[in-house]
PDB file of all heavy atoms in Angstrom:
ATOM      1  N   THR B 309      96.089  88.869  96.490  1.00  0.00           N
ATOM      2  CA  THR B 309      96.657  90.019  95.788  1.00  0.00           C
ATOM      3  C   THR B 309      96.418  89.903  94.294  1.00  0.00           C
ATOM      4  O   THR B 309      96.365  88.803  93.739  1.00  0.00           O
ATOM      5  CB  THR B 309      98.165  90.131  96.044  1.00  0.00           C
ATOM      6  OG1 THR B 309      98.820  88.944  95.543  1.00  0.00           O
ATOM      7  CG2 THR B 309      98.452  90.260  97.537  1.00  0.00           C
ATOM      8  N   HIS B 352     131.471  99.247 112.632  1.00  0.00           N
ATOM      9  CA  HIS B 352     130.923  97.967 113.101  1.00  0.00           C
ATOM     10  C   HIS B 352     132.054  97.060 113.557  1.00  0.00           C
ATOM     11  O   HIS B 352     133.094  96.963 112.893  1.00  0.00           O
ATOM     12  CB  HIS B 352     130.120  97.300 111.985  1.00  0.00           C
ATOM     13  CG  HIS B 352     129.318  96.126 112.451  1.00  0.00           C
ATOM     14  ND1 HIS B 352     128.184  96.251 113.218  1.00  0.00           N
ATOM     15  CD2 HIS B 352     129.496  94.784 112.284  1.00  0.00           C
ATOM     16  CE1 HIS B 352     127.685  95.057 113.483  1.00  0.00           C
ATOM     17  NE2 HIS B 352     128.470  94.143 112.935  1.00  0.00           N
ATOM     18  N   GLU B 369     122.215 101.162  94.831  1.00  0.00           N
ATOM     19  CA  GLU B 369     122.219 101.441  93.396  1.00  0.00           C
ATOM     20  C   GLU B 369     122.828 100.279  92.600  1.00  0.00           C
ATOM     21  O   GLU B 369     122.393  99.970  91.482  1.00  0.00           O
ATOM     22  CB  GLU B 369     122.969 102.745  93.107  1.00  0.00           C
ATOM     23  CG  GLU B 369     124.492 102.681  93.193  1.00  0.00           C
ATOM     24  CD  GLU B 369     125.060 102.462  94.602  1.00  0.00           C
ATOM     25  OE1 GLU B 369     124.338 102.711  95.590  1.00  0.00           O
ATOM     26  OE2 GLU B 369     126.241 102.060  94.703  1.00  0.00           O
ATOM     27  N   THR B 433     105.046  91.860  81.801  1.00  0.00           N
ATOM     28  CA  THR B 433     104.469  91.561  83.117  1.00  0.00           C
ATOM     29  C   THR B 433     105.582  90.972  83.970  1.00  0.00           C
ATOM     30  O   THR B 433     106.118  89.899  83.651  1.00  0.00           O
ATOM     31  CB  THR B 433     103.312  90.549  83.004  1.00  0.00           C
ATOM     32  OG1 THR B 433     102.328  91.064  82.096  1.00  0.00           O
ATOM     33  CG2 THR B 433     102.666  90.318  84.364  1.00  0.00           C
ATOM     34  N   THR B 446     121.138  73.593 110.366  1.00  0.00           N
ATOM     35  CA  THR B 446     120.253  72.516 109.951  1.00  0.00           C
ATOM     36  C   THR B 446     119.528  71.918 111.143  1.00  0.00           C
ATOM     37  O   THR B 446     120.142  71.617 112.168  1.00  0.00           O
ATOM     38  CB  THR B 446     121.023  71.427 109.184  1.00  0.00           C
ATOM     39  OG1 THR B 446     120.162  70.319 108.941  1.00  0.00           O
ATOM     40  CG2 THR B 446     122.227  70.956 109.948  1.00  0.00           C
ATOM     41  N   PHE B 501     105.670  76.704 107.667  1.00  0.00           N
ATOM     42  CA  PHE B 501     104.843  76.848 108.870  1.00  0.00           C
ATOM     43  C   PHE B 501     104.711  78.327 109.225  1.00  0.00           C
ATOM     44  O   PHE B 501     103.615  78.836 109.476  1.00  0.00           O
ATOM     45  CB  PHE B 501     105.491  76.074 110.022  1.00  0.00           C
ATOM     46  CG  PHE B 501     104.675  75.994 111.280  1.00  0.00           C
ATOM     47  CD1 PHE B 501     103.912  74.870 111.563  1.00  0.00           C
ATOM     48  CD2 PHE B 501     104.677  77.027 112.206  1.00  0.00           C
ATOM     49  CE1 PHE B 501     103.166  74.779 112.734  1.00  0.00           C
ATOM     50  CE2 PHE B 501     103.940  76.961 113.381  1.00  0.00           C
ATOM     51  CZ  PHE B 501     103.176  75.826 113.643  1.00  0.00           C
ATOM     52  N   TYR B 540     106.272  64.903  99.338  1.00  0.00           N
ATOM     53  CA  TYR B 540     105.275  64.464 100.307  1.00  0.00           C
ATOM     54  C   TYR B 540     105.367  65.292 101.595  1.00  0.00           C
ATOM     55  O   TYR B 540     104.356  65.538 102.257  1.00  0.00           O
ATOM     56  CB  TYR B 540     105.472  62.988 100.647  1.00  0.00           C
ATOM     57  CG  TYR B 540     105.092  62.006  99.561  1.00  0.00           C
ATOM     58  CD1 TYR B 540     105.278  60.647  99.741  1.00  0.00           C
ATOM     59  CD2 TYR B 540     104.557  62.436  98.340  1.00  0.00           C
ATOM     60  CE1 TYR B 540     104.937  59.721  98.742  1.00  0.00           C
ATOM     61  CE2 TYR B 540     104.225  61.532  97.341  1.00  0.00           C
ATOM     62  CZ  TYR B 540     104.418  60.180  97.549  1.00  0.00           C
ATOM     63  OH  TYR B 540     104.085  59.272  96.572  1.00  0.00           O
ATOM     64  N   GLY B 569     108.166  66.149  88.398  1.00  0.00           N
ATOM     65  CA  GLY B 569     107.102  66.406  87.442  1.00  0.00           C
ATOM     66  C   GLY B 569     106.069  65.301  87.374  1.00  0.00           C
ATOM     67  O   GLY B 569     104.906  65.542  87.044  1.00  0.00           O
ATOM     68  N   PRO B 573     101.352  67.955  91.423  1.00  0.00           N
ATOM     69  CA  PRO B 573     100.288  68.524  90.596  1.00  0.00           C
ATOM     70  C   PRO B 573     100.412  70.031  90.393  1.00  0.00           C
ATOM     71  O   PRO B 573      99.623  70.607  89.657  1.00  0.00           O
ATOM     72  CB  PRO B 573      99.019  68.176  91.372  1.00  0.00           C
ATOM     73  CG  PRO B 573      99.459  68.147  92.794  1.00  0.00           C
ATOM     74  CD  PRO B 573     100.866  67.610  92.778  1.00  0.00           C
ATOM     75  N   ASP B 592     131.723  76.704  84.538  1.00  0.00           N
ATOM     76  CA  ASP B 592     132.174  76.682  83.149  1.00  0.00           C
ATOM     77  C   ASP B 592     131.078  76.550  82.101  1.00  0.00           C
ATOM     78  O   ASP B 592     131.335  76.726  80.919  1.00  0.00           O
ATOM     79  CB  ASP B 592     133.156  75.516  82.956  1.00  0.00           C
ATOM     80  CG  ASP B 592     134.410  75.666  83.812  1.00  0.00           C
ATOM     81  OD1 ASP B 592     134.824  76.827  84.035  1.00  0.00           O
ATOM     82  OD2 ASP B 592     134.960  74.646  84.266  1.00  0.00           O
ATOM     83  N   ALA B 606     112.378  72.117  77.732  1.00  0.00           N
ATOM     84  CA  ALA B 606     111.139  72.803  77.363  1.00  0.00           C
ATOM     85  C   ALA B 606     110.371  72.018  76.304  1.00  0.00           C
ATOM     86  O   ALA B 606     109.134  71.938  76.337  1.00  0.00           O
ATOM     87  CB  ALA B 606     111.453  74.209  76.869  1.00  0.00           C
ATOM     88  N   LEU B 639     102.216  71.141  81.200  1.00  0.00           N
ATOM     89  CA  LEU B 639     100.823  70.987  81.624  1.00  0.00           C
ATOM     90  C   LEU B 639     100.805  70.342  82.994  1.00  0.00           C
ATOM     91  O   LEU B 639     101.483  69.332  83.227  1.00  0.00           O
ATOM     92  CB  LEU B 639     100.059  70.124  80.624  1.00  0.00           C
ATOM     93  CG  LEU B 639      99.914  70.714  79.214  1.00  0.00           C
ATOM     94  CD1 LEU B 639      99.204  69.718  78.306  1.00  0.00           C
ATOM     95  CD2 LEU B 639      99.147  72.028  79.260  1.00  0.00           C
ATOM     96  N   GLU B 686     116.611  53.460 131.675  1.00  0.00           N
ATOM     97  CA  GLU B 686     118.025  53.325 132.057  1.00  0.00           C
ATOM     98  C   GLU B 686     118.944  54.254 131.262  1.00  0.00           C
ATOM     99  O   GLU B 686     120.137  54.341 131.557  1.00  0.00           O
ATOM    100  CB  GLU B 686     118.473  51.877 131.859  1.00  0.00           C
ATOM    101  CG  GLU B 686     117.791  50.889 132.811  1.00  0.00           C
ATOM    102  CD  GLU B 686     118.124  49.445 132.480  1.00  0.00           C
ATOM    103  OE1 GLU B 686     118.802  49.212 131.443  1.00  0.00           O
ATOM    104  OE2 GLU B 686     117.710  48.549 133.250  1.00  0.00           O
ATOM    105  N   ILE B 716     109.680  59.477 133.463  1.00  0.00           N
ATOM    106  CA  ILE B 716     110.613  60.244 132.635  1.00  0.00           C
ATOM    107  C   ILE B 716     109.925  61.512 132.133  1.00  0.00           C
ATOM    108  O   ILE B 716     108.701  61.637 132.187  1.00  0.00           O
ATOM    109  CB  ILE B 716     111.121  59.423 131.433  1.00  0.00           C
ATOM    110  CG1 ILE B 716     109.952  59.088 130.484  1.00  0.00           C
ATOM    111  CG2 ILE B 716     111.842  58.154 131.874  1.00  0.00           C
ATOM    112  CD1 ILE B 716     110.399  58.463 129.174  1.00  0.00           C
ATOM    113  N   THR B 724     114.697  63.968 122.120  1.00  0.00           N
ATOM    114  CA  THR B 724     116.030  63.352 122.101  1.00  0.00           C
ATOM    115  C   THR B 724     116.056  62.118 121.208  1.00  0.00           C
ATOM    116  O   THR B 724     116.955  61.947 120.374  1.00  0.00           O
ATOM    117  CB  THR B 724     116.460  62.964 123.527  1.00  0.00           C
ATOM    118  OG1 THR B 724     116.542  64.147 124.318  1.00  0.00           O
ATOM    119  CG2 THR B 724     117.817  62.269 123.522  1.00  0.00           C
ATOM    120  N   GLU B 732     120.071  58.184 111.939  1.00  0.00           N
ATOM    121  CA  GLU B 732     120.187  56.781 111.521  1.00  0.00           C
ATOM    122  C   GLU B 732     119.367  56.548 110.250  1.00  0.00           C
ATOM    123  O   GLU B 732     118.167  56.278 110.310  1.00  0.00           O
ATOM    124  CB  GLU B 732     119.680  55.851 112.637  1.00  0.00           C
ATOM    125  CG  GLU B 732     120.430  55.975 113.943  1.00  0.00           C
ATOM    126  CD  GLU B 732     121.774  55.251 113.896  1.00  0.00           C
ATOM    127  OE1 GLU B 732     121.973  54.447 112.963  1.00  0.00           O
ATOM    128  OE2 GLU B 732     122.598  55.502 114.776  1.00  0.00           O
ATOM    129  N   PRO B 733     119.981  56.646 109.068  1.00  0.00           N
ATOM    130  CA  PRO B 733     119.226  56.475 107.815  1.00  0.00           C
ATOM    131  C   PRO B 733     118.517  55.131 107.705  1.00  0.00           C
ATOM    132  O   PRO B 733     117.464  55.049 107.066  1.00  0.00           O
ATOM    133  CB  PRO B 733     120.309  56.617 106.731  1.00  0.00           C
ATOM    134  CG  PRO B 733     121.420  57.377 107.382  1.00  0.00           C
ATOM    135  CD  PRO B 733     121.397  56.983 108.823  1.00  0.00           C
ATOM    136  N   SER B 765      97.377  59.929 118.743  1.00  0.00           N
ATOM    137  CA  SER B 765      96.194  60.175 117.937  1.00  0.00           C
ATOM    138  C   SER B 765      95.508  61.434 118.478  1.00  0.00           C
ATOM    139  O   SER B 765      95.926  62.009 119.482  1.00  0.00           O
ATOM    140  CB  SER B 765      95.227  58.980 118.040  1.00  0.00           C
ATOM    141  OG  SER B 765      94.850  58.812 119.408  1.00  0.00           O
ATOM    142  N   ARG B 776      89.554  70.633 116.601  1.00  0.00           N
ATOM    143  CA  ARG B 776      89.872  71.478 115.444  1.00  0.00           C
ATOM    144  C   ARG B 776      91.260  72.097 115.588  1.00  0.00           C
ATOM    145  O   ARG B 776      92.045  72.121 114.628  1.00  0.00           O
ATOM    146  CB  ARG B 776      88.838  72.597 115.297  1.00  0.00           C
ATOM    147  CG  ARG B 776      87.480  72.164 114.815  1.00  0.00           C
ATOM    148  CD  ARG B 776      86.596  73.384 114.562  1.00  0.00           C
ATOM    149  NE  ARG B 776      85.262  72.998 114.122  1.00  0.00           N
ATOM    150  CZ  ARG B 776      84.241  72.777 114.935  1.00  0.00           C
ATOM    151  NH1 ARG B 776      84.403  72.928 116.259  1.00  0.00           N
ATOM    152  NH2 ARG B 776      83.065  72.413 114.458  1.00  0.00           N
ATOM    153  N   GLU B 820      85.227  71.164 106.621  1.00  0.00           N
ATOM    154  CA  GLU B 820      85.378  72.438 107.321  1.00  0.00           C
ATOM    155  C   GLU B 820      86.812  72.946 107.293  1.00  0.00           C
ATOM    156  O   GLU B 820      87.077  74.089 106.914  1.00  0.00           O
ATOM    157  CB  GLU B 820      84.901  72.276 108.771  1.00  0.00           C
ATOM    158  CG  GLU B 820      84.904  73.561 109.572  1.00  0.00           C
ATOM    159  CD  GLU B 820      84.428  73.343 111.000  1.00  0.00           C
ATOM    160  OE1 GLU B 820      83.490  72.535 111.205  1.00  0.00           O
ATOM    161  OE2 GLU B 820      85.000  73.962 111.907  1.00  0.00           O
ATOM    162  N   ASP B 824      93.047  66.857 103.538  1.00  0.00           N
ATOM    163  CA  ASP B 824      92.938  65.794 102.546  1.00  0.00           C
ATOM    164  C   ASP B 824      92.534  64.505 103.264  1.00  0.00           C
ATOM    165  O   ASP B 824      93.196  64.097 104.223  1.00  0.00           O
ATOM    166  CB  ASP B 824      94.297  65.605 101.862  1.00  0.00           C
ATOM    167  CG  ASP B 824      94.250  64.640 100.692  1.00  0.00           C
ATOM    168  OD1 ASP B 824      93.467  63.667 100.748  1.00  0.00           O
ATOM    169  OD2 ASP B 824      95.008  64.843  99.736  1.00  0.00           O
ATOM    170  N   THR B 855      83.958  49.350 110.379  1.00  0.00           N
ATOM    171  CA  THR B 855      85.059  49.568 109.440  1.00  0.00           C
ATOM    172  C   THR B 855      84.555  49.537 107.998  1.00  0.00           C
ATOM    173  O   THR B 855      84.929  50.373 107.169  1.00  0.00           O
ATOM    174  CB  THR B 855      86.148  48.505 109.640  1.00  0.00           C
ATOM    175  OG1 THR B 855      86.665  48.622 110.969  1.00  0.00           O
ATOM    176  CG2 THR B 855      87.281  48.679 108.648  1.00  0.00           C
ATOM    177  N   GLY B 864      88.357  58.163 100.826  1.00  0.00           N
ATOM    178  CA  GLY B 864      89.727  58.649 100.952  1.00  0.00           C
ATOM    179  C   GLY B 864      90.388  58.295 102.252  1.00  0.00           C
ATOM    180  O   GLY B 864      91.606  58.113 102.319  1.00  0.00           O
TER     181      GLY B 864
END
Side-chain angles (χ1 to χ4, degrees):
T309 61
H352 191 73
E369 75 292 341
T433 304
T446 173
F501 187 98
Y540 288 177
D592 298 327
L639 296 177
E686 293 173 355
I716 64 171
T724 298
E732 300 282 346
S765 60
R776 288 186 181 90
E820 185 180 322
D824 187 326
T855 298

